[in-house]
Amino acid sequence: MAKRTETTMGDGSRARAVVAVLLVRIVVPLWLLIGGVLKWIDGSPANLPLAFVKGLGGLGVDLLFVFQFSIAVEIAVVGVMWLLPGLARPVGIAMLAAFVPILVADVLMGASSCGCFGAVQVHPAVTMTVDLVFLFGLWWCGRGVPRLEMADVLPSWQVVLAGLWTMASFAVAFGLASPGGTTTTGRTWDTQTALPAEGYYMPQYDAWMGRPWSEIPLAMWIRGVAEDLDAGIHYILFYRKDCEHCHELMEAYFSGPLTWPTTAVAVPERDGFPTTGVQPFVCDECSTAELPAGIDWFIATPALIRLSNGVVDCAAEVSAANPVCLEW
């Protein structure tokens, strides 16, 4: 009986080792490579994790740099896991462990997609579950597997190839235009103000307070905005045509007679305005305007700006349940 038990344990150890090698050398690197390549193809920092957009973007960090750097690191890690077997397991564990708090934050913030695969929408809870399974697999299955142990000396040719792979990863992420990328340098939008060259715009609502609306770059990119914003109270409502929360806010506060003049500014996606899921536009007394397509507008709609004699005295993301900036 004792001999049978030892045999069974030996078989189990061998099976665990096979699973570990498959995870470390094939499954996890491919998982990371797919994410990096899909983000590169999409070419849009709009699909970064919501935690990055809200946290880093809110601090004024260049989201395009964050986006490109994340692609470079993911692809570089793939090369290390393929070319340096002794480093594959610890590097894979470190990478997956770094993803977990970001995904937890996305879940808590109610993100609909993790941003891990570019324009391919995957709920962060799904990605977090997969990452945790892989993380546990690398940690538990990989313990004591000879093929995954760190060697005292790494072969020079493997180190050189890994270094070249890493440099190529950063060159691709930062230097080569992706199929989905957009170049806005020099483009204008019915004004003399060029659109953001980095391909996206992140509003800094706090920095707008007390400033004339006409001095804020966003104001110069809007087509069709009213010309009487310098007199009295005026509201500017940013909405998306397929945004249900925008429709709820309009139904509650902007349908029927308006107390103060309001301009409703339609915010497009990078590829233009949606053709499906469009919500009814119920603000009959609103003036209408729109922003241009072709770049990513990091404006979480609905967003509301209140002007007093042309000066911003309130700017915030709002909802029907929390209509910040409204005074009627």
Side-chain angles (χ1 to χ4, degrees), residues 38-278:
L38 287 178
K39 284 199 286 284
W40 178 78
I41 290 173
D42 178 53
S44 170
N47 291 312
L48 278 169
L50 185 59
F52 280 173
V53 174
K54 291 288 189 180
L56 299 179
L59 294 173
V61 177
D62 185 348
L63 292 178
L64 181 60
F65 173 83
V66 174
F67 177 72
Q68 293 170 321
F69 186 78
S70 67
I71 294 172
V73 170
E74 284 189 52
I75 298 177
V77 166
V78 172
V80 171
M81 296 182 74
W82 276 344
L83 297 169
L84 299 172
L87 293 178
R89 179 169 172 261
V91 168
I93 289 174
M95 193 71 177
L96 293 172
F99 288 161
V100 172
I102 299 170
L103 292 167
V104 169
D106 269 11
V107 170
L108 294 177
M109 296 172 71
S112 59
S113 177
C114 65
C116 313
F117 303 98
V120 178
Q121 302 287 301
V122 180
H123 196 278
V126 174
T127 307
M128 182 172 64
T129 301
V130 175
D131 283 354
L132 287 173
V133 170
F134 288 164
L135 182 59
F136 177 78
L138 294 188
W139 170 75
W140 185 78
C141 295
R143 293 180 303 168
V145 177
R147 291 177 59 184
L148 300 178
E149 290 180 352
M150 174 76 74
D152 293 335
V153 179
L154 295 173
S156 298
W157 70 270
Q158 290 179 321
V159 174
V160 170
L161 284 180
L164 292 174
W165 178 290
T166 299
M167 289 189 289
S169 301
F170 277 83
V172 168
F174 284 91
L176 298 181
S178 67
T182 21
T183 302
T184 59
T185 306
R187 289 181 53 195
T188 58
W189 175 245
D190 295 345
T191 71
Q192 296 304 309
T193 304
L195 296 175
E198 59 270 26
Y200 74 89
Y201 179 78
M202 169 69 72
Q204 302 289 338
Y205 297 118
D206 291 343
W208 296 356
M209 302 300 295
R211 293 180 57 191
W213 175 247
S214 59
E215 294 181 0
I216 297 171
L218 183 62
M220 305 175 193
W221 295 318
I222 302 173
R223 182 177 68 180
V225 71
E227 297 180 357
D228 58 348
L229 302 185
D230 292 337
I233 302 295
H234 197 108
Y235 282 95
I236 301 175
L237 172 63
F238 291 93
Y239 75 101
R240 284 183 166 82
K241 295 185 178 182
D242 57 351
C243 169
E244 294 182 2
H245 294 300
C246 302
H247 178 70
E248 292 173 1
L249 181 77
M250 286 187 181
E251 282 275 14
Y253 298 102
F254 293 94
S255 60
L258 299 179
T259 304
W260 303 107
T262 300
T263 299
V265 181
V267 181
E269 301 302 325
R270 183 165 37 123
D271 296 330
F273 292 104
T275 56
T276 60
V278 175

